[in-house]
Amino acid sequence: MTLSPGRAHAPAGTRRLTRTLYASAFCDEFVLLYPVYALLFSDTGLSVWQISSLFALWSLTGVLLEVPSGAWADAVSRRLLLVLGPLFTAAGFALWVLVPSYGAFALGFVLWGAGGALGSGAQEALVYDELDRAGAADRYAGVMGRARAIGIAATMAAMGLAGPVFAWGGYDAVGAASVLVCLVGAAVATRFPEHREPAAGSEGWAATLRAGLAGARADRSVRGALLLVPAVTAVWGALDEYTPLLALDTGVAEETVPWLLLVVWAGATAGSLLAGAAERLTTTGFAALLAGSALAMAVGAAAGTPVALVLVALAFGGFQLATVLADARLQRRIDDSGRATLTSVAGLGSELGTLATYGAFATVATAAGYGTAFALAAVPYLVTALVLAGAARPGPRRAARPPEAPAALEERGR
């Protein structure tokens, strides 16, 4: 890890960074279109297959641009990409409302996917390097945990406010509010401090990408940290889309589902807020966290009762905590010159794992129901926990090699 000279005191050196990060996290998720954009597609006359194709296009855009955008962030300016990302998203949302049609929705999803890819990797890299420069790299997990908790709170606030705004002004009102918050997010991102300069003689993002991947291949600990991120984030990152269906499957009325979802996401928020305290968790402790969360999810989902969803909430809290900690472990192991690149590589693994989870979940849920699908989704986490526990187990000690006699050394030197 490359440390910058002339460190500032942590409180003064990080105040602007953390305030900007928290404001940016709120703007990223306080989007009133989130709860209603599927309704917009349906009301425009799109079929289920057309809507599904839009979601697939969104995911494909993120997959294709995830790693190149991270390399670009390392080659130029990470702050620049954090400013551009919300502008792309704002343009996409504006298209949806101004010219609602399949073509406009498709282009809007491409712009939204591009905006998300620009920020993925760049934000984590900028935040870690600025904390490191201020002598506060050990605060990274806590800072990012609070930022993710603010993002979840913003999402829940947007869900609560979308209904009244939609009733007042329809899609135009929620669309205008969503575009506005994206523009505010871009303005907020200009306040990110960035002291890092691109390496002299840089040959562009392609060379940065090759250098970052070469560094990962050469360092086993970096490879392990890269694999851990998607292993932790991919499955539960897909499951959160199905939590309303799991809640409804417990037999409650539709109007009760939002309250149960509030419980589940309160668990995820708590997990984010615990990241700072849990940053020093050992590998064995991390394995126990994953295993305990997996068992809680399996039992809670399989029970099929509203009360048992509290266990699912605990599981989501554990998975969210593990997500922040896995990211922190990765940041500690990679060099600042390729930080955004390799963070994006981990993000690409998460995206691909999430896509695979969608297919597997749909297959199991169709055949056996949502509770069973959630319960079986715990298996990958149990496997990951076992692998981590095995890696943490100390191996047999090698016998100490006796020192060679001076005569033997002298003979070897002849």
Side-chain angles (χ1 to χ4, degrees), residues 206-225:
T208 304
L209 174 59
R210 289 193 296 270
L213 294 178
R217 287 194 297 268
D219 192 328
R220 182 179 178 182
S221 67
V222 173
R223 292 199 304 273

Side-chain angles (χ1 to χ4, degrees), residues 280-292 329 384-394:
R280 297 187 182 278
L281 205 63
T282 64
T283 300
T284 301
F286 194 95
L289 172 65
L290 285 182
R329 289 181 176 219
T384 301
L386 288 174
V387 171
L388 289 174
R393 188 179 302 121

Side-chain angles (χ1 to χ4, degrees), residues 132-217:
D132 190 27
R133 180 181 182 276
D138 59 340
R139 296 178 56 198
Y140 176 80
V143 167
M144 293 303 291
R146 285 189 289 275
R148 297 197 184 206
I150 289 170
I152 295 172
T155 299
M156 292 190 293
M159 293 175 65
L161 191 59
V165 173
F166 182 76
W168 171 72
Y171 293 118
D172 289 342
V174 294
S178 300
V179 170
L180 178 61
V181 79
C182 289
L183 296 178
V184 172
V188 167
T190 64
R191 297 289 300 160
F192 273 112
E194 185 178 25
H195 294 86
R196 169 191 171 273
E197 295 291 339
S202 173
E203 299 178 10
W205 71 267
T208 304
L209 174 59
R210 289 193 296 270
L213 294 178
R217 287 194 297 268

Side-chain angles (χ1 to χ4, degrees), residues 7 13 36 42 50 59 64 85 120 145 163 201 212 236 240 251 286 322:
R7 296 175 183 271
V36 300
S42 179
Q50 285 177 311
S59 297
L64 292 177
S120 177
W236 90 277
D240 66 358
F286 194 95

